[in-house]
Amino acid sequence: MRMWMVPPEILCRKHLLGEHVEIHMFLAHLNKKKGIQGFLKNNCLEPRSIFQRHEDLAKELTNRGYNHNSPIKEEDLKIVSELPLECQYWKINIEENLNNLLKRCSICRTRYNLRTKYD
């Protein structure tokens, strides 16, 4: 499971849908009171960003014409506030994730190059 935390518009369909479902999986994982140290150590989870990231991904899904029927309510994130502070405020290295994504996926790489070409 991974939160890429890169601009959603550069994600290919597979990575956009994948990150969206993985956010729901992270919440289920947290609600089962399972450990998250491995996700943090491996640059995969930014707990305090789950709600906003989900909103950003849902907006991109809608912009692409996909249906989004799995909202997250802010109260669903109460579990994040129960984590130790150093876990709650863990930040992903976005540059590292971007480089990893662009090496893995030629479609995301193309979308990224097109986006940066016009910025």
Side-chain angles (χ1 to χ4, degrees):
M1 294 188 290
R2 175 181 297 276
M3 291 173 69
W4 290 104
M5 298 303 291
V6 301
E9 60 270 11
I10 73 168
L11 295 171
C12 69
R13 180 182 190 279
K14 178 180 84 170
H15 284 107
L16 178 64
L17 294 172
E19 185 176 352
H20 175 261
V21 74
E22 287 169 358
I23 283 179
H24 288 279
M25 291 168 63
F26 276 130
L27 283 173
H29 187 85
L30 289 170
N31 280 309
K32 290 180 182 177
K33 308 277 191 217
K34 293 190 175 188
I36 61 167
Q37 291 301 334
F39 295 120
L40 300 178
K41 184 180 86 174
N42 290 309
N43 203 37
C44 297
L45 178 62
E46 198 169 288
R48 282 278 175 177
S49 299
I50 289 175
F51 179 78
Q52 186 57 55
R53 184 61 177 175
H54 181 268
E55 294 298 300
D56 295 344
L57 294 170
K59 181 180 177 186
E60 182 63 19
L61 288 166
T62 302
N63 288 345
R64 294 190 195 184
Y66 303 132
N67 292 324
H68 179 258
N69 297 316
S70 56
I72 293 175
K73 299 178 194 102
E74 287 191 69
E75 58 265 19
D76 295 336
L77 298 170
K78 181 180 178 228
I79 191 71
V80 171
S81 66
E82 296 172 9
L83 295 170
L85 285 178
E86 65 274 7
C87 294
Q88 287 184 42
Y89 290 96
W90 189 267
K91 290 290 186 185
I92 285 175
N93 181 330
I94 297 170
E95 185 176 336
E96 182 181 304
N97 271 5
L98 176 62
N99 290 332
N100 187 342
L101 177 67
L102 298 180
K103 284 179 190 171
R104 287 184 186 196
C105 181
S106 63
I107 299 169
C108 289
R109 189 169 48 251
T110 298
R111 294 180 66 87
Y112 174 77
N113 288 334
L114 288 171
R115 180 179 185 264
T116 56
K117 181 177 179 180
Y118 297 106
D119 280 349

